[in-house]
Amino acid sequence: MQHNDSILDTRTLTASGPAIAEAARIVRAGGLVAFPTETVYGLGTVATSGAAVARLYAAKGRPTFNPLIVHVADPAAARGLGKFNAAALALAGAFWPGPLTLVLPKTDDCPVSDLATAGLDTVAVRAPDHPVAHALIEATGRPLVAPSANRSGRVSPTTAAHVAADLGGRIDLVLDAGPTRVGVESTIVACLSEATALLRPGGVARAAIEQILGRPLTAPAPARADAPQAPGMLASHYAPATPLRLDADRVGADEALLAFGTSLPPRADRAVAVLNLSPAGDVVEAAANLFAHLRALDRTGARAIAAMSVPREGLGEAINDRLARAAAPRP
Ligand code: TXA
Ligand code: MG
């Protein structure tokens, strides 16, 4: 079924079998298709085609020094792309398919385009846990690069409508399978040496990873100016247009409130709008709501968004990371 006729000429199709086959045809021809994963919607194209990857960077307005995650249908397909050490094998075994990305040394004959890896000698790989993502990769028969399907620097999309609002007219097709389950992007872990480093907190909690490893994750090596280790981890990212104020314990004039839990701050009734990440105080529910709530409050015309504090446990680490980047000074 086709709906949402077009926002500036980008079709949205409900993710049925024929729609996925059509998406695979488009992607094989070097086109750009947004598709759901369990974390957020991704903007996919063939990872081995430099021309297709170049179009993808242009559509997102993404700097080409910021490499992309390669999505595979199953762990076996990842073996041809990156070299797995013991930690990588253990983590892939425990969490794939799922919201974990591994940064690995490229294999000698890694077919991923150098543009997709930004010329690095490493490659970021994940096997997403979503039937539509899986079916699209299988039908394409190639690994797919898929950054989050938003304009560079903006809030990641958790619905097909978010994708159309950001990228309508710039991409060929959106596959719609409803809101994503996890709501924040994958956790990124670098398995490049004996040290196993957390590059980005995300959909798999740090504690679950450390339990499999049997030791703590390390911090990433200091970034080099020319080739930062996780270039996407720029201070300002995931940002709504409205300024965001963190750890709010009151609501100021003309502010909207991004709430968490039952006890709202003083003057909450005066907020321009209130959206609660999780009235029950559950960080998993909060992660699933985070980006949709930020987008909705961004549209209220509020002077600022006041965000209540969210505990750092579990997915709370990723939520706090995204809120901090959304609040950081803009470039
Ligand atoms: O959940 C997700 O990971 C989503 C869905 C669509 O799969 N994708 C996603 O992609 O969040 P993107 O492009 O928005 O973020 C990819 C991150 C960036 O921070 C990038 O710098 C980092 O992965 N990255 C990619 N390749 C890397 C590499 N070789 N070394 C270090 N970081 C890398
Ligand atoms: Mg992104």
Side-chain angles (χ1 to χ4, degrees):
M1 180 186 74
Q2 179 160 346
H3 60 91
N4 195 17
D5 237 10
S6 73
I7 292 195
L8 306 173
D9 284 340
T10 292
R11 281 184 301 155
T12 294
L13 296 178
T14 299
S16 60
I20 292 169
E22 163 80 351
R25 269 194 300 278
I26 292 171
V27 161
R28 271 202 304 271
L32 306 178
V33 172
F35 65 94
T37 79
E38 78 281 35
T39 57
V40 300
Y41 276 72
L43 179 59
T45 198
V46 174
T48 51
S49 163
V53 174
R55 274 197 286 281
L56 189 153
Y57 277 104
K60 269 189 67 95
R62 179 173 175 123
T64 52
F65 60 75
N66 189 2
L68 305 172
I69 296 172
V70 181
H71 294 63
V72 293
D74 50 58
R79 301 298 288 270
L81 308 179
K83 295 180 191 162
F84 284 73
N85 63 13
L89 283 175
L91 295 179
F95 298 111
W96 281 1
L100 176 71
T101 294
L102 298 177
V103 173
L104 306 172
K106 276 164 119 173
T107 57
D108 296 336
D109 50 1
C110 176
V112 172
S113 120
D114 283 335
L115 192 54
T117 57
L120 300 174
D121 51 11
T122 57
V123 61
V125 197
R126 87 177 188 99
D129 183 19
H130 194 291
V132 173
H134 187 267
L136 178 62
I137 300 165
E138 290 266 275
T140 306
R142 308 252 169 78
L144 297 183
V145 283
S148 50
N150 52 280
R151 296 267 195 130
S152 186
R154 308 309 298 255
V155 177
S156 294
T158 58
T159 68
H162 294 165
V163 177
D166 251 29
L167 293 174
R170 304 173 73 89
I171 64 176
D172 297 300
L173 182 68
V174 183
L175 286 177
D176 184 356
T180 61
R181 173 171 59 83
V182 177
V184 292
E185 300 85 346
S186 59
T187 303
I188 305 181
V189 172
C191 302
L192 300 177
S193 61
E194 285 316 297
T196 305
L198 180 67
L199 302 188
R200 176 177 77 181
V204 179
R206 173 197 289 270
I209 295 170
E210 293 180 339
Q211 201 197 331
I212 297 296
L213 290 176
R215 58 178 191 277
L217 285 159
T218 63
R224 287 184 3 223
D226 56 334
Q229 191 166 23
M233 300 311 286
L234 303 169
S236 171
H237 212 74
Y238 312 103
T242 312
L244 187 74
R245 192 166 67 78
L246 298 179
D247 296 324
D249 53 10
R250 50 176 283 283
V251 177
D254 302 324
E255 284 188 328
L257 178 65
L258 184 65
F260 178 86
T262 43
S263 50
L264 300 191
R267 315 181 78 117
D269 53 325
R270 300 206 189 161
V272 173
V274 180
L275 286 176
N276 201 321
L277 290 171
S278 172
D282 172 10
V283 288
V284 173
E285 182 185 23
N289 288 327
L290 177 64
F291 292 141
H293 282 10
L294 277 176
R295 280 177 182 262
L297 294 180
D298 203 14
R299 287 194 307 266
T300 58
R303 180 181 55 78
I305 300 169
M308 290 175 66
S309 66
V310 175
R312 295 187 168 271
E313 291 89 65
L315 294 202
E317 185 176 4
I319 295 170
N320 278 283
D321 172 83
R322 304 306 188 269
L323 286 173
R325 286 173 210 288
R330 313 294 159 83

